[in-house]
Structure formats: structure tokens, C-alpha cells
Amino acid sequence: MRRLDVLVCSGTACVSSGSTEVKESLAQALADSDLRSEVRILETGCMGPCELGPVMMIYPEGTFYVKVSPDDVQEIVEEHFLKGRPVRRLLWEGVAPALKEVPFFARQHKLVLANCGIINPERIEEYIARGGYEALARAVSEMSPEQVISEVSASGLRGRGGAGFPAGKKWELMRNANGSPKYIVCNADEGDPGAFMDRAVLEGDPHAVIEGMAVAAYAVGAQRGFVYVRAEYPLAISRLEEAVGQARRMGLLGDSILETDFSFDIELRMGAGAFVCGEETALIASIEGKRGEPRPRPPFPTESGLWGCPTMINNVETLACVRHVVVGGADKFASVGTETSKGTKVFALAGQIRNTGLVEVPMGISLRELVMEVGGGVPEGRNLKAVQIGGPSGGCLPEKLLDVPVDYESLGEHGAIMGSGGVIVLDDTACMVNVAKFFLEFTADESCGKCVPCRVGTSTMLDILSRIVAGQGTEADVPRLKELAESIKMGSLCGLGQTAPNPVLSTLRYFPEEYEAHIADRACPAGVCPDLVHYLVLVDQCRACDRCRQVCPTGAAQGAPGTPPYHIEDELCIRCGACVEACPFDAIIVKPGRKG
Amino acid sequence: MITLEIAGRQVQAEPGQTILEAAESAGIHIPTLCNLKGLSPRGACRICLVEVTTWRGKLVPSCATSVEEGMKVVAHSARLRELRRTILELLFAERNHICAVCVSNGSCELQDLACELGMDHVRYPYRFPGLNMDASHGKYVVDHNRCVLCGRCVRACSEVEGAMTWGFSRRGVDTLVATDVGSPWVDSKTCTECGKCVEACPTGALLDKRTSVAEQEKDPEVLSQVTERRPRV
């Protein structure tokens, strides 16, 4: 008789930390202990706390194990499966099994991720058992396309790709567009550094996206759809391919869906990795086989998209919301969130935060709750400095703005954006000028080169920032950066350029003193920029143990064992930090400013 | 006919015409660079940006935006002048535009724009990238140091000549125009040596081998002359 279900996370993060090996040794151990009929292993999508992977959930009681290695498997089988005693050292912060009390899970509101980590994404039956394809069935059999659109409009659902365009409005424009055939595209070209929510949905619940596309196709009158997904997401691609095949075999895609006269099918298109191809007109060019470059809008894709035909592009997460709008109703969907931002939003938490991973929270939650409660705050002994939200198009909000509600308008007012949902937490070891430079390096590198403001402007801004962090900044640099940023925002052709200066503008707005320190004092207050710091041995603390000299790769740490103090030869020092880490007496410090 | 307002004047236009076409036929001048009559619009250089007040002040490239009934277009303002000048300065800073030693000195659209927009100095650091030239072809030379990446050669080659020799390679500030996906021009299997790319080029980036400083004259109108004589399909 089956008594236990073991759900092993097989999202990309857990796979890369070894969940496949864990699963295999678990299967072997179950066979060895003759438990195969009693314990079942199931592979699921992402469960959320990626940093703690590989993770597994054991039902019915809901025991959650983290950082499981193949070496732990024997103990789990013997202690837990045979004797009924959970292995305490593998539990999340020692908590068992009242997982709901862990704020990471308690504060979340899972809608888009409702099935992720619960079902086996490679089995359509499990999706259907959890209410899957009910929205499609209802739409095609009980609702007119107009009713579907008015439901989506009433729900207040907005595009989750970043710009937040009202989904119902887009669907209506598409429904009324002249021309045929009409195409639907799912934009799965997730490219923000540190963002992986679309990947998790595609890997963990691919049918939710397929169902959303089918409902959208029915509503707007499209017969063909494409999923434009990054080739760097092989697991998402294989699960999506599998899911499309299953849906076809079940009559949920293809001709005469659910025996109605509605026909719709989906093809996959792999992106070659250019960030700009997430921009809808560049995405269209890429699907058409052209160079991935945006073109001016209007005409918008709903008027003239793929091969000149009306084309509607929705983000993965937007499409995954659709089934909840149709089945639960617009009112229920809209009951979560704020006046202008309805429903939930998935965020990828990264940076200096305890619970790195994927979370879904109601819109309108404050940044503080998101970072401090769900995310668990910054690690012990560190201080939160800023939260970078919205990826390379977003901004850095300082600690004092943590009470800003997470919704499209509030974030925009303060110089950040919702974006696709990347949240990078920065502590006091982060240099804000360097952070701005990091994001600008990304956008300058990813600029397609078509329009002048983005192509030359971002590179010029990057040159200025590089000079500042190298200690060659001048007083004219800050006003020049601001001027240039405004011109790039105004003049660029597509969203990439129009938002690329945001990380610089928001750090200039909230951390002007750091720019000032780099330029006027030639000092990096956070001790990050190599040209604007120096290493110093604290004479009283040095015990002449010689460890610094042994690890120093350039011979900069000098001294004789037993005769303190040692010293760091500034000319030779490359600021690698190896000596600081090696010193057992905390005698070496990084001091802002140049030596002397 | 459509009625719209450009630069404070009532203008009549055919449906499907661009703002730039409507403005030109009404005698209103809007500066351009990547646009060339006879080729499809690209909207890339951003010099011809205008402000559409009826679209909440959105800035659009007049070469690539169709007219609309009741549209109100600001073609000249302090903000637009400043933006156009900044863009032009960025172009001058991007590569090595030194008029005094250029074959196109005196017949260069970039130079003309600088005069027109009153760009007397560049506020941004010059990049001086030191790019290669390709003089392998028997008749023509491409000097990437003078290229503004307007794409007129690319469009002339594919849309008018149909050879599709020219394209773009790499991206961002490293973008280059390239013959046959980056092989030397002389090795091109597709080039017909028609020279339309040279005529279309607004600067001295594409030149005739027989020309020296200030000798290269361009005749970009040849493109529209060819396309206008073609029967409509």
C-alpha cells in the first residue's frame, strides 16, 4: 500500500545542485529497502527556495527537506520512511512539519505558481486533475469570445512582461484588428539578469501557459501560436514540447478543439540569446528569421505583426493567469492586489538575501514585506542598503523607501519599474556606482545597434562611469550623465534604450553622495572599486602569522614570520581580497580612498 | 485626403503617407539622415523625430510614422533641436569623422546636418575606434570609420538591386555593415558591382576607388529614379 509521496524538485536550480542524483539514489535506496510499493517518487517543478536546493517535499504530512545530498538518502529512508522520524537536520530551519508557519511560504499567494512543485509537469493528467483545461473548456463551450475578453478586462490583469499594458485592452484591439491569419505569441524570452520566473512556470506547469494561449486564441480569433523561448532554457523547451504533444493527443490543441469548431495549434521558436528579442517587434523579426532588431511602433503588432498580420504577444506569466480569470471569475482575481494592479506577481529574489529563490506575492505588498519577511532579509550582520527591482530597465530603491507598495504605479513614481520581476537585494558591501555600471554594461552590450541614442549613448555613459570608478571622474560628469540619460530615454527606438539609463538615474537620485565620493574624494565608500581603495594592515592586530603573504598572488603582502607588523605594498596589490579572507585576526582592512 | 497639423500649419496628405512625406510636400523641412527616397523607412537615426501632441507628446520618427486624421505634429521645438543635436554629436563621437581628410568633404549629409543644426562642438568623448577598411573590391572601398550605420546601403542592395550583398554584423556599438556575412568584398558571390550602395551612402564610408579628398560626389536620388520607373507589381 502506498503511504508516502516524495516530491523531488526538478527545476533548473535544483537539477544544477544535484537533484537528479538525489532522485536516483533515492530510487535505489527504496528498491534496496523493498519500499517501492509504499513510497512513490515524483518529479515536480520549482518549489521556490532555490538556494536551499535540492529540495524535496514528503506528503501526506508535508515534511520539507532542504540541501539534500545523495549521502542523506539512506538516513531519510531508514529514519523517516521506515521509522517515521523526520531527519531534523535536513528540515528548513529545523521546522517540521508546520511549513505554513515559515514566512517564506506563509506570506506567499500562489496563483501562477499554484501547480509548480505540486504536479509532475510532464503529465497532463496531473494538470487536469488540478482543474487544468477547465478554463479552455468553459471558454469554448459556454462563453463567446467577447465574454472571455470582457472577463479578462474586468479582472484588471496587466501584462507581466514589464510594461503592464492592460491585457483585456490588448485582446480587444486584437479581436477588432483587420487581417488574417491572426497569430498569438507567448513571449518567453526572459532575459533580465537574475530573473527566472518564466523559466520556472514553463518547467513546472507548462500546460498553464498552453491553456492561456488557447483561451486567448479563442478570444481573439487566432489559429496559430508561437512560443518564443530562449534556447538557454533546454529543460523548459523539452517540457513545453512534451506538453504541446500531450495536449494535441487529448484534442486540446489542433483541429476542432473539444469537438467545437475552434482550431488552434502551437509551435516553438527558439531565441538565440539576444536580450533585445524580448522586445515585441524584435521578437517578431526574429521569428520571421530576420536580424533581431526592433522597428518603430506604430504600427503595433496587433495591427501589423508576424508577416504583416495581426499578432498578439503576451508574456508567460500573463498567460498563466488567464485560467484563473476564466475559472475563478474576474471578481475573484481582482480581489487580490491594489486599485490599479490586480492579482499576484512572481518575483525572483537574488543578491544579499537569505531566501534566494522564486516567490509569488499579492500585488501591493510592501517591498519591506517582500524582502524582509518572504525573503528573510539580508544575512546576519549585514545591513540592507538598496533593492534593485525591474532588472536592467529598473531602478535601485534605498532602504528608506522599503515601504513603497509593489505595484506598477508606485514603483514607477520612485524611479523603478515592476519589470518582469527580478529583485536584487544589495547590502552595505555594494557600491551603487558600480551597480549602475554593471547594469549599463549589460544594456550597452545588448543594444542591437540600430538606433543612435541607444547604440552610442549607452556606450558613452558606460565610458563616463568607467572613468568615475577608475578615479578619473570630473565634476562635469554627473550633469553630463543626466543630460545623456534624458536624451537616450527620449530618443531611443525601443524599450531597451528608453529604459537603459534608469539604473544610473535612480542611483544618482538616491545615492548622489557615492558619486560625489568617487569623483571629488577619489574614494569608494563601500570599498568595492579597486582603483579607489587601498589595503591596510592594522599594526596592533597583526600577529605576523604569515598567512597573508602565503595567499597573496602578487607578493604585495610582505613581512617576516614572527615579526609584526606585516604591510601591503600598494603598487603590487591587485585588491583581490585574498589576504583579508586569510587573516585570522581581522588585521587587514579595505580602506576607501587611495593610499596616502 | 487626410488633414493634419504639422509645425502649426494645416496640411493635406494621402492616407498611408508618412509625416515626413506630408511635411515635405507642404514645404516644411524636417532633417533626416537614414531616410532615403526610394528605400523603405528604417527609423534608426532618430534625427527626424517629431512630437505628436495628439499622442500625449510621443516622439516618433517622421520617416516611419503614417499620418492620421486630426494629428498634431510639432516638427521644431527647443527640445527637439537639443535632442537632434545630441544625437548628431553622438554620431560624430562614435567613429572618425574628420571632414578635412574625407573623400566626401563638401558633399556629405552628416556634414550638412552639422551645419544645419548648428553643431559647432562635441560634448562627448570621441571613441576613435580604429576600424579596418575593406579596399579589396576592384571599384569600391568601404571605410567603416566613416559609417553611421544608417543602413541605406543595406536597403539599396536588397530592395533596389535585389542582390542582398550588404547586411549588418555584430551588435551595439560594435555593429558593422558587412558584405556576404563578413567576408571580404572582393570575395562576394552576390555583389553585382552596380554601385548603388555607394550612391546611397550619406557619408564617405562607401567610396569610389578613383576619388581622393573632397572628390567623392554622391547621387542618392538615383535610387528613387530607379524605383519610380519600375512597373508597380
Side-chain angles (χ1 to χ4, degrees):
Chain A
M1 199 194 79
R2 182 166 301 139
R3 356 179 236 111
L4 296 169
D5 277 340
V6 181
L7 276 54
V8 181
C9 177
S10 59
T12 287
C14 278
V15 168
S16 66
S17 56
S19 71
T20 313
E21 293 77 19
V22 169
K23 195 199 79 185
E24 279 161 9
S25 51
L26 190 62
Q28 186 59 46
L30 291 179
D32 295 345
S33 309
D34 205 14
L35 282 172
R36 271 190 299 192
S37 58
E38 294 177 43
V39 182
R40 178 170 61 165
I41 305 172
L42 298 158
E43 279 186 81
T44 72
C46 181
M47 295 184 185
C50 303
E51 188 173 329
L52 299 174
V55 296
M56 60 168 73
M57 176 75 90
I58 294 153
Y59 284 115
E61 79 276 10
T63 307
F64 190 62
Y65 287 142
V66 300
K67 291 192 175 172
V68 183
S69 82
D71 300 339
D72 300 322
V73 165
Q74 199 56 39
E75 189 179 348
I76 294 174
V77 171
E78 280 171 22
E79 288 292 309
H80 188 159
F81 298 171
L82 288 169
K83 298 175 189 160
R85 295 191 297 227
V87 183
R88 288 210 86 80
R89 64 177 181 87
L90 294 175
L91 294 169
W92 176 304
E93 297 182 349
V95 186
L99 207 57
K100 285 196 177 75
E101 285 161 27
V102 177
F104 180 80
F105 292 105
R107 298 303 304 262
Q108 292 198 49
H109 186 108
K110 293 207 175 187
L111 204 62
V112 170
L113 299 177
N115 285 335
C116 284
I118 308 282
I119 64 165
N120 180 343
E122 293 177 0
R123 285 174 51 84
I124 191 170
E125 293 83 358
E126 296 196 17
Y127 178 70
I128 292 171
R130 300 258 305 168
Y133 288 106
E134 187 184 338
L136 178 62
R138 262 201 218 179
V140 297
S141 57
E142 292 169 18
M143 297 166 86
S144 68
E146 289 77 12
Q147 278 173 315
V148 176
I149 292 174
S150 72
E151 202 68 18
V152 172
S153 295
S155 76
L157 174 64
R158 293 170 67 172
R160 299 292 195 243
F165 191 80
K169 177 136 201 202
K170 196 185 258 188
W171 289 28
E172 202 182 317
L173 283 170
M174 181 67 175
R175 171 99 205 144
N176 298 330
N178 293 317
S180 78
K182 290 181 178 179
Y183 297 103
I184 289 207
V185 177
C186 169
N187 185 348
D189 191 57
E190 183 173 56
D192 286 5
F196 49 92
M197 35 272 148
D198 293 349
R199 186 187 74 200
V201 174
L202 293 173
E203 285 176 1
D205 198 11
H207 287 287
V209 179
I210 294 172
E211 183 174 11
M213 284 181 79
V215 172
Y218 172 74
V220 303
Q223 286 85 44
R224 218 169 139 199
F226 294 94
V227 181
Y228 187 83
V229 55
R230 311 180 64 175
E232 295 95 323
Y233 285 178
L235 190 60
I237 292 166
S238 76
R239 293 210 173 129
L240 207 47
E241 273 173 345
E242 178 67 31
V244 167
Q246 289 171 349
R248 277 193 200 128
R249 284 195 289 282
M250 292 233 171
L252 298 163
L253 284 179
D255 292 335
S256 310
I257 289 173
L258 293 166
E259 291 165 10
T260 63
D261 52 13
F262 168 56
S263 299
F264 175 66
D265 211 343
I266 293 175
E267 286 170 53
L268 265 59
R269 287 288 183 276
M270 265 69 98
F275 180 65
V276 75
C277 288
E279 196 280 341
E280 55 183 16
T281 57
L283 186 153
I284 286 170
S286 176
I287 291 183
E288 288 175 347
K290 298 177 185 152
R291 181 176 160 94
E293 276 181 350
R295 59 150 180 82
R297 301 177 306 180
F300 288 92
T302 47
E303 304 156 57
S304 174
L306 278 170
W307 302 288
C309 299
T311 303
M312 183 168 84
I313 298 161
N314 284 129
N315 166 265
V316 170
E317 200 181 326
T318 317
L319 290 166
C321 286
V322 167
R323 57 188 284 248
H324 300 286
V325 172
V326 173
V327 174
D331 292 343
K332 190 172 173 213
F333 186 86
S335 68
V336 177
T338 67
E339 192 54 42
T340 56
S341 306
K342 302 293 187 192
T344 60
K345 178 79 193 83
V346 183
F347 288 100
L349 303 179
Q352 298 300 327
I353 189 165
R354 285 169 70 199
N355 305 333
T356 299
L358 206 66
V359 300
E360 183 171 2
V361 292
M363 293 269 197
I365 188 174
S366 72
L367 259 184
R368 190 179 300 282
E369 285 170 284
L370 176 62
V371 171
M372 305 308 274
E373 292 179 28
V374 182
V378 293
E380 282 295 318
R382 302 278 191 81
N383 294 311
L384 189 140
K385 184 174 189 175
V387 175
Q388 208 285 343
I389 182 163
S393 309
C396 291
L397 300 182
E399 204 273 342
K400 65 171 195 268
L401 286 179
L402 277 193
D403 291 310
V404 167
V406 176
D407 64 58
Y408 293 98
E409 281 72 22
S410 307
L411 290 173
E413 259 168 51
H414 293 94
I417 61 161
M418 179 82 77
S420 60
V423 173
I424 298 172
V425 179
L426 305 164
D427 68 9
D428 44 17
T429 61
C431 164
M432 302 313 288
V433 184
N434 197 49
V435 167
K437 180 173 159 265
F438 167 82
F439 283 105
L440 206 63
E441 263 167 11
F442 179 83
T443 36
D445 184 48
E446 292 291 349
S447 166
C448 75
K450 179 169 179 174
C451 77
V452 181
C454 176
R455 181 180 77 228
V456 196
T458 55
S459 287
T460 304
M461 280 181 79
L462 182 59
D463 287 346
I464 297 173
L465 282 176
S466 302
R467 282 213 324 264
I468 294 175
V469 301
Q472 292 152 9
T474 66
E475 261 175 43
D477 282 343
V478 167
R480 191 171 295 156
L481 275 175
K482 284 185 182 162
E483 241 170 56
L484 202 45
E486 286 310 320
S487 297
I488 295 170
K489 280 174 80 115
M490 269 199 296
S492 291
L493 197 165
C494 81
L496 194 158
Q498 286 159 9
T499 60
N502 285 353
V504 178
L505 287 174
S506 69
T507 48
L508 274 170
R509 179 170 166 188
Y510 297 118
F511 302 94
E513 69 283 356
E514 293 207 19
Y515 284 85
E516 187 62 22
H518 281 74
I519 295 168
D521 308 337
R522 304 270 187 256
C524 173
V528 173
C529 302
D531 290 322
L532 299 179
V533 296
H534 64 280
Y535 281 55
L536 199 66
V537 178
L538 298 172
V539 174
D540 298 341
Q541 264 152 272
C542 177
R543 299 282 176 276
C545 70
D546 202 46
R547 292 218 182 116
C548 54
R549 196 188 60 79
Q550 288 166 24
V551 297
C552 179
T554 60
Q558 298 173 355
T563 39
Y566 273 50
H567 73 281
I568 311 283
E569 196 57 49
D570 197 55
E571 294 273 287
L572 296 173
C573 176
I574 55 166
R575 283 87 168 136
C576 67
C579 56
V580 178
E581 249 173 66
C583 181
F585 310 107
D586 295 332
I588 306 174
I589 58 164
V590 183
K591 255 185 97 78
R594 288 172 168 171
K595 196 175 169 78
Chain B
M1 288 297 264
I2 283 175
T3 307
L4 68 155
E5 189 189 300
I6 304 177
R9 281 173 45 193
Q10 296 291 311
V11 171
Q12 299 273 309
E14 301 279 345
Q17 269 194 311
T18 64
I19 296 173
L20 182 66
E21 287 165 345
E24 276 175 352
S25 50
I28 300 165
H29 174 71
I30 298 173
T32 60
L33 180 60
C34 72
N35 190 63
L36 182 60
K37 210 167 160 228
L39 305 178
S40 66
R42 182 160 159 86
C45 72
R46 319 305 280 171
I47 292 288
C48 76
L49 284 181
V50 291
E51 183 182 328
V52 182
T53 39
T54 40
W55 292 350
R56 291 180 301 171
K58 189 176 157 108
L59 298 185
V60 296
S62 56
C63 68
T65 309
S66 299
V67 291
E68 193 182 81
E69 181 64 45
M71 186 182 234
K72 281 200 173 108
V73 177
V74 178
H76 301 284
S77 67
R79 178 180 173 226
L80 287 171
R81 196 159 41 244
E82 178 56 31
L83 182 59
R84 286 172 188 156
R85 228 187 72 154
T86 301
I87 292 167
L88 200 58
E89 284 179 46
L90 289 172
L91 273 175
F92 270 91
E94 185 182 20
R95 293 192 179 173
N96 310 340
H97 298 288
I98 301 163
C99 303
V101 295
C102 180
V103 287
S104 283
N105 191 6
S107 54
C108 168
E109 291 182 40
L110 189 68
Q111 193 180 36
D112 293 347
L113 268 179
C115 297
E116 181 189 337
L117 300 178
M119 194 209 80
D120 46 16
H121 68 288
V122 172
R123 287 167 292 176
Y124 306 107
Y126 287 96
R127 305 185 65 83
F128 293 133
L131 299 168
N132 289 332
M133 292 171 75
D134 181 352
S136 64
H137 192 274
K139 291 159 90 175
Y140 312 118
V141 178
V142 55
D143 182 353
H144 295 290
N145 296 294
R146 297 175 188 147
C147 174
V148 290
L149 297 171
C150 65
R152 278 163 44 164
C153 56
V154 178
R155 282 171 286 158
C157 191
S158 68
E159 295 171 12
V160 185
E161 179 65 5
M164 301 196 185
T165 303
W166 285 106
F168 291 102
S169 70
R170 306 160 95 180
R171 71 181 181 206
V173 82
D174 300 322
T175 309
L176 295 174
V177 289
T179 46
D180 281 9
V181 206
S183 53
W185 200 347
V186 69
D187 295 339
S188 171
K189 303 271 194 297
T190 56
C191 178
T192 60
E193 311 197 352
C194 71
K196 290 189 181 70
C197 53
V198 178
E199 301 301 345
C201 176
T203 71
L206 284 169
L207 55 128
D208 194 304
K209 268 199 167 165
R210 294 164 297 184
T211 58
S212 180
V213 175
E215 289 178 354
Q216 176 72 60
E217 284 181 12
K218 300 285 178 83
D219 185 13
E221 274 159 28
V222 75
L223 279 311
S224 55
Q225 286 161 9
V226 170
T227 49
E228 275 161 17
R229 281 176 209 163
R230 274 182 188 163
R232 300 256 170 247
V233 190

